[in-house]
Structure formats: C-alpha cells, structure tokens
Amino acid sequence: MRDLWNRLASMWRRFRQRARYADGRTRWLAGRWLALGMLVFAVAAVTAWNGGVQSGGVQQYWWQIAVDKQEETVTRTASGDNLTQPDLPQTEKKGAPEVKDTGAADNVASSDTADIVDNTDGPEDTEESGDVYDHAPEPWANDAGLQAEADLLSLQTPLAGEEIRGYGIGYDVTFRDYRFHGGLDWQGAEGEPVLAALAGEVAELSDDPVYGQGVTLAHGEKLSTVYLGLIPAVGLTVGQQVEQGEEIGRLTAPPVFEDAEPPHLHWEVRLEGKTVDPADYDFAQ
C-alpha cells in the first residue's frame, strides 16, 4: 500500500511540473487522466476494504451487534415483556435437539403415572350433582359467645299473633305510667299454643303470684328465652330437650302485673342474664 502511494505521489509531482509548460489541450487531457486514475484508486480501495471486512473485520462486528440485540429480545420475551419470540439468525439458534414424537403422549400406559394421577371420586366423595356440601365445623362451634350470637340470628316468633308492646321504655296500661319493658308482648287467644323460639333445654318451670306461670329455656351457656302468661305443656319437665317450633305451653289469662291487657305472651330474650331486644335480629315470623 505504501509503494502504491509513493508512486501516485511521484506521478502527481511530474504532472504538476509538466502542467506548468503545457498548453490548454494538454492540461485538459491530463485532468481527465487524473480523474480516471483517482476513480480506479477508489474502486481498488473499496474492493480491498470489503475483502478484509468479510474475513473478520468491521462487517463481522456489526453482525455480532445485530445478533446480541436479537438475544436480548429473546431474554425479555422469556421474562414476560413480549408475547412473541422473534426468530434468531439461523447461525445463532440455540435449543434442545429435535425430539421425534412417537405417540407415547397419547397412550399413557405407565403404571407409575397411573399411581400419581388419580382423579376418581371415592364413595365418600360422591354427592348429588348441583349440590354444595360444607363438611367443615361452624366457626362458633366451640365458642359459647359466638354460638349465642348465631342463635340470635335464627330466632322464631313463639306465638302466631300480633305484637302489641315492644322492648324498652313505653306506656304501661296496668300501672298507667311509662316504664321499662324487658320483652315483647304477643296478643293471642287463650288456649293458643306457644312454641319454642329456639331448640334448647327446659331450665325452669315457674309459677309466681305476680308474674304467673312461665317457662325458661336455655340455649347454650349464654342465651336463654323466657315465656310468661302460659300454662306449661303437660309432661314438660326441667332438663327436657325441646326442638325449635315445638309446643311448650298454652296461652292463658295475663298475670297480675299486666292484668289490664288482653291475653298475651310476655316473651324475653336474655343474653348472659340481661334482656336484649329481639327486634334487633331478623327472626322468622
């Protein structure tokens, strides 16, 4: 390359020396030959350059950059940045060797696989189609307080009559004043059946000259219901278990402390010994 350059430089010097003494036509011809020589030089230089690059020079460098960008795109695809994976150049594709499909996936006859995958229902799993069964224990099963709260949500009215007096401060027609009333009064006819508002145990059978006869049912450790103004059912005894809706007595004339009112049932709901308003709960009618 250096020798070629020296020759061109020598030819340029001689050209300049002759151009000083040549006429116009000679100069024009010399310029054409100079331009042609420079064109030939440029073509030769480009050809030499391309030959060197293809053998591992600049072109290989740019090719490697393109491949690296493709690999970076594939990495992002694997991490979830893209939904599709672009194809790598054929010379850069990497992966597991091709595996021929012998059809074994369609016919799984291995005993090991049969032992691992077993989705068949046993006798205990057989349920009627469309039904949902909850076999887990209720969260309040071992908590008396939670059990009482749950029972309060399933109260049933003890008498199929009209409510004539609510819970709280109200006018008392017997004493003709305003006073606290600790329960609900349900009007009915004498001899009408009174039902258990919840399943429970007969805790007390009372007979008071002021409050009259009554029945108290215990529903667990913290909840109880009191029924006054009735005659207990025949054969009802303390400790007896009764079901919700079971008859526990018959309505009678009101006791002394409510004798100005018509026949009715005085019904109280007590939580941990204190009366609560049953109307605060959506009990069944």
Side-chain angles (χ1 to χ4, degrees):
M1 182 65 71
R2 182 178 296 276
D3 292 340
L4 178 61
W5 176 256
N6 291 335
R7 290 181 182 179
L8 291 174
S10 176
M11 291 174 61
W12 174 251
R13 285 194 298 270
R14 287 198 299 272
F15 170 76
R16 292 184 59 187
Q17 290 176 0
R18 293 181 180 179
R20 292 178 183 177
Y21 306 102
D23 54 11
R25 180 178 177 79
T26 303
R27 292 180 180 178
W28 180 77
L29 292 174
R32 290 184 62 184
W33 283 106
L34 177 61
L36 181 59
M38 294 179 65
L39 180 59
V40 172
F41 175 76
V43 172
V46 170
T47 302
W49 177 265
N50 287 338
V53 168
Q54 290 180 0
S55 63
V58 177
Q59 187 174 357
Q60 181 66 27
Y61 170 75
W62 289 108
W63 175 262
Q64 186 62 41
I65 290 180
V67 172
D68 293 342
K69 288 184 177 179
Q70 292 282 3
E71 291 180 349
E72 181 180 357
T73 303
V74 173
T75 302
R76 290 180 178 178
T77 301
S79 62
D81 294 340
N82 298 302
L83 296 178
T84 59
Q85 176 176 337
D87 294 335
L88 289 173
Q90 295 296 327
T91 56
E92 295 294 329
K93 285 186 176 179
K94 299 179 180 180
E98 181 181 358
V99 179
K100 294 183 179 179
D101 185 6
T102 61
D106 297 333
N107 301 301
V108 180
S110 173
S111 59
D112 294 338
T113 305
D115 292 340
I116 296 174
V117 181
D118 185 6
N119 293 326
T120 58
D121 294 334
E124 67 280 359
D125 297 327
T126 303
E127 305 288 1
E128 294 182 7
S129 177
D131 295 337
V132 178
Y133 295 86
D134 183 6
H135 300 290
E138 300 296 349
W140 53 79
N142 297 319
D143 189 306
L146 292 178
Q147 181 65 57
E149 293 290 340
D151 289 339
L152 284 171
L153 298 177
S154 58
L155 287 171
Q156 175 181 309
T157 53
L159 185 69
E162 178 185 358
E163 180 184 330
I164 60 174
R165 187 173 180 183
Y167 180 91
I169 301 296
Y171 184 73
D172 191 304
V173 296
T174 300
F175 295 94
R176 299 181 181 181
D177 61 4
Y178 287 89
R179 61 181 58 201
F180 178 78
H181 187 245
L184 300 180
D185 287 351
W186 299 86
Q187 183 176 350
E190 290 189 37
E192 190 171 348
V194 177
L195 310 178
L198 282 172
E201 178 183 334
V202 178
E204 182 182 0
L205 297 175
S206 61
D207 188 2
D208 188 274
V210 176
Y211 293 98
Q213 289 182 289
V215 177
T216 300
L217 300 180
H219 315 282
E221 299 178 8
K222 297 181 179 292
L223 184 64
S224 62
T225 52
V226 179
Y227 308 77
L228 299 175
L230 79 164
I231 299 175
V234 177
L236 193 68
T237 59
V238 175
Q240 179 180 337
Q241 296 292 328
V242 296
E243 299 297 327
Q244 185 179 39
E246 181 178 342
E247 181 179 331
I248 59 174
R250 294 276 175 165
L251 198 63
T252 186
V256 174
F257 79 104
E258 290 181 333
D259 60 359
E261 299 181 23
H264 66 275
L265 173 72
H266 176 85
W267 179 50
E268 294 183 3
V269 177
R270 297 178 180 179
L271 183 62
E272 296 185 348
K274 298 180 180 179
T275 60
V276 296
D277 187 357
D280 290 340
Y281 306 90
D282 295 330
F283 53 91
Q285 296 295 329

